[in-house]
């Protein structure tokens, strides 16, 4: 093989390896700063439940998180969401769950959830994750 074709091939393979390593190294990191949920909560379950909750509430992730710093407590709504989780996860009494959701809404500057069924589905995913 000619040296002129070997260099681009080597650079291409190296770039692929670097991208692969960066993608999967971050994918293995466990969630941090979990105060209501178990620290061994599966990352995929957590992500899926958070997506369901954000869709159901009609908010984006930044309603409770700082992009790239999901473990930060700088956003005040995060504490209200933790209070909501504490009451609602695993709660069988629908009135108590509804009251917890109603208490959360002002912190998110919402009058109502966009789709409460998605909120409850997101919480159901987290039931085995509560401390």
């Amino acid at each position: 093989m000619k040296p002129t074709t070997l260099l681009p091939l080597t650079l291409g393979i190296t770039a692929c390896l670097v991208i692969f390593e960066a993608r999967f190294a971050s994918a293995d990191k466990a969630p941090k700063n979990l105060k209501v949920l178990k620290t061994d909560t599966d990352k995929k379950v957590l992500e899926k439940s958070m997506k369901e909750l954000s869709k159901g509430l009609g908010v984006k992730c930044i309603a409770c998180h700082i992009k790239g710093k999901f473990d930060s407590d700088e956003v005040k709504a995060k504490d209200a969401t933790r209070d909501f989780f504490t009451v609602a996860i695993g709660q069988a009494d629908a009135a108590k769950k509804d009251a917890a959701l109603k208490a959360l809404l002002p912190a998110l500057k919402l009058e109502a959830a966009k789709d409460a069924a998605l909120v409850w589905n997101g919480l159901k995913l987290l039931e085995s994750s509560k401390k």
Side-chain angles (χ1 to χ4, degrees):
M1 196 176 276
K2 293 182 182 179
T4 55
T5 55
L6 189 58
L7 181 61
L9 179 63
T10 303
L11 290 174
I13 291 171
T14 302
C16 288
L17 289 172
V18 168
I19 291 168
F20 179 83
E21 174 66 25
R23 174 179 255 184
F24 288 100
S26 65
D28 291 337
K29 291 182 182 175
K32 297 178 187 172
N33 196 19
L34 298 180
K35 295 181 180 178
V36 176
L37 304 175
K38 293 177 186 172
T39 55
D40 65 347
T41 299
D42 182 75
K43 184 178 178 184
K44 288 182 182 183
V45 170
L46 184 62
E47 288 175 356
K48 183 173 176 146
S49 66
M50 291 295 151
K51 285 179 185 177
E52 289 283 303
L53 288 164
S54 64
K55 282 182 190 177
L57 291 166
V59 298
K60 296 192 182 275
C61 299
I62 59 170
C64 295
H65 300 282
I66 295 174
K67 189 174 183 176
K69 297 187 338 182
F70 287 93
D71 57 332
S72 172
D73 285 334
E74 293 177 46
V75 180
K76 298 277 185 214
K78 194 173 200 176
D79 285 329
T81 304
R82 285 182 174 132
D83 293 342
F84 170 68
F85 284 168
T86 300
V87 173
I89 294 174
Q91 179 60 254
D93 186 334
K96 288 181 181 177
K97 286 171 46 174
D98 288 337
L101 177 57
K102 188 175 181 180
L104 170 64
L105 296 174
L108 298 171
K109 300 180 179 130
L110 299 173
E111 291 184 23
K114 185 175 181 180
D115 184 346
L118 286 175
V119 173
W120 305 132
N121 188 49
L123 282 182
K124 187 148 183 73
L125 292 168
L126 291 173
E127 282 185 1
S128 65
S129 299
K130 188 176 173 188
K131 286 184 181 177

